[in-house]
Amino acid sequence: MRSAAHPKRTILVATDFSKPGKLVVPYAFKLALALNLRLTILHVVKAPPEFEQWSPAAHRSLHSLKTKALLELGRLIRLANENGLMADQKLLVGIPGDSILKVAHRSHIAFIVMGTHGKTGWDRLRLGSVAESTLRQAPCPVLTVRASVPPYPRQSAPVERSSLSGSNGLFCLFDGSASDRR
Amino acid sequence: MAALRTAVELAKRLNARMLLVHADEPSGSLRSDPLRIDELSQKRYAHQFQKIISASRGDEVITEKIVITGNPVKVILDQAKHQKSDLIVIGTQGRRGMKRLMLGSVAEAVVRRASCPVFTVRTQVRDPFNLTNGTRRSPPGSSTG
């Protein structure tokens, strides 16, 4: 699906294939349909920089991780194509936060969609959060979906476009101080 | 403001209804007089709301405007739950380093605790409202993907 003849604006879906990581996929599809955007599905294999050159064993272990990730990516791409969306896959090795930001800096990325575990308190300090660091430094808007958010009904994504307009509203929060700065 | 324009763009594309919320902590002597706060803030923000709404060209999607005094994070989360909202769009200033530690961030707390997806728009992002590829996608099935 690398038919990027002309650069089109793209949603960057960053996923780690965990539960919250996968939860964002239907949301991303929905938005891509409504906004007429392409999808780039990104997975970052977590490893120290230059890890591949360390030793043959490191290379091998990374290789198996990459293969697994590629399979998962392929599955998502297929799902996207079934929903009538154009999707690219991207597999990077490195530190997740940094790699996501690097991709996000390309000009055709409209916004980032990613899941977050939404940990608070002690867990938050211990684990840190990829989503958070992305959120703070991203050059574009970021949509985060928390693990506890009820999953979006997948089958209805293409059909019920107006389901969002029913009883539920899009909710805009206006941060007064933010406007003062402009 | 970037957040608002982004939200308008999204709402139009998603056929969604939009609810504009402003929350603020009361300051100084007003703290002891909640009724007066409400009255004052309603008055004060009505005009401002009108201004930003017309600037964002969102008149037709914004159905409700709410001003509440209180802890912003709590107000936002309460409203989101109460209105069963599908999406929160929130602006953030994206402070870093020392300032971040000192000030904390409403947006961050909302991201961490919201029960629905949160669309965070930083004030300094590059063309935040340029979200689409222009035309609406043809209905799925006819498109080849």
Side-chain angles (χ1 to χ4, degrees):
Chain A
M1 285 311 302
R2 293 194 179 272
S3 55
H6 55 104
K8 265 181 105 185
R9 295 188 74 78
T10 306
I11 300 179
L12 180 65
V13 186
T15 176
D16 57 357
F17 309 126
S18 65
K19 187 172 159 266
K22 274 185 169 161
L23 209 64
V24 302
V25 170
Y27 285 100
F29 284 5
K30 162 95 188 172
L31 282 170
L33 276 173
L35 301 172
N36 188 20
L37 293 167
R38 292 170 60 94
L39 287 169
T40 296
I41 300 174
L42 169 74
H43 176 71
V44 183
V45 176
K46 205 169 169 180
E50 314 275 313
F51 183 68
E52 261 176 297
Q53 276 93 56
W54 282 11
S55 71
H59 185 81
R60 268 200 303 281
S61 66
L62 213 55
H63 187 75
S64 75
L65 280 177
K66 273 170 144 177
T67 318
K68 220 180 280 172
L70 276 175
L71 277 175
E72 291 272 7
L73 281 175
R75 208 168 296 155
L76 288 178
I77 299 281
R78 205 159 346 118
L79 200 60
N81 289 342
E82 279 166 15
N83 281 278
L85 291 164
M86 289 205 273
D88 282 327
Q89 61 185 32
K90 208 164 190 63
L91 184 65
L92 294 177
V93 179
I95 298 157
D98 294 355
S99 309
I100 292 170
L101 283 174
K102 216 181 287 166
V103 178
H105 271 285
R106 304 208 181 134
S107 59
H108 63 274
I109 303 290
F111 57 94
I112 307 174
V113 182
M114 62 193 305
T116 169
H117 296 265
K119 296 227 165 34
T120 50
W122 175 243
D123 278 341
R124 169 183 164 189
L125 286 176
R126 213 178 43 191
L127 287 167
S129 163
V130 177
E132 186 187 329
S133 64
T134 311
L135 206 70
R136 289 198 171 275
Q137 294 167 51
C140 51
V142 181
L143 176 78
T144 47
V145 184
R146 253 189 70 197
S148 57
V149 172
Y152 192 80
R154 180 165 294 174
Q155 297 84 349
S156 63
V159 195
E160 290 180 20
R161 182 168 290 149
S162 60
S163 65
L164 264 168
S165 67
S167 59
N168 305 340
L170 186 73
F171 195 67
C172 170
L173 290 159
F174 160 58
D175 187 359
S177 51
S179 89
D180 294 339
R181 285 165 59 99
R182 275 182 73 88
Chain B
M1 208 57 212
L4 184 65
R5 298 219 15 207
T6 312
V8 168
E9 185 74 46
L10 279 173
K12 280 182 179 164
R13 285 312 186 110
L14 295 166
N15 292 325
R17 200 160 59 78
M18 205 166 122
L19 176 70
L20 197 60
V21 172
H22 179 84
D24 221 339
E25 297 257 38
S27 62
S29 60
L30 284 175
R31 217 173 281 230
S32 54
D33 195 352
L35 275 178
R36 198 157 148 256
I37 298 174
D38 277 350
E39 194 186 311
L40 272 181
S41 56
Q42 297 289 356
K43 227 185 263 169
R44 187 174 141 208
Y45 287 118
H47 180 64
Q48 241 179 328
F49 265 156
Q50 210 46 57
K51 222 164 62 186
I52 58 167
I53 288 171
S54 55
S56 66
R57 293 187 285 269
D59 322 50
E60 65 262 54
V61 279
I62 298 174
T63 53
E64 240 180 296
K65 292 156 259 183
I66 300 181
V67 179
I68 300 178
T69 41
N71 178 355
V73 178
K74 222 162 115 200
V75 168
I76 289 164
L77 292 175
D78 279 355
Q79 285 294 323
K81 202 174 281 171
H82 180 65
Q83 306 273 351
K84 297 195 187 66
S85 59
D86 294 307
L87 184 68
I88 297 177
V89 181
I90 187 165
T92 173
Q93 307 190 359
R95 288 197 181 84
R96 296 184 59 200
M98 201 55 211
K99 272 191 176 162
R100 165 180 164 191
L101 286 177
M102 269 156 35
L103 285 164
S105 162
V106 174
E108 191 189 322
V110 170
V111 165
R112 290 196 169 278
R113 282 150 58 186
S115 52
C116 63
V118 182
F119 200 89
T120 318
V121 185
R122 267 182 59 195
T123 19
Q124 305 97 326
V125 297
R126 69 169 184 239
D127 50 295
F129 15 87
N130 192 2
L131 287 178
T132 64
N133 272 321
T135 50
R136 205 175 255 269
R137 181 175 286 276
S138 53
S142 65
S143 60
T144 48

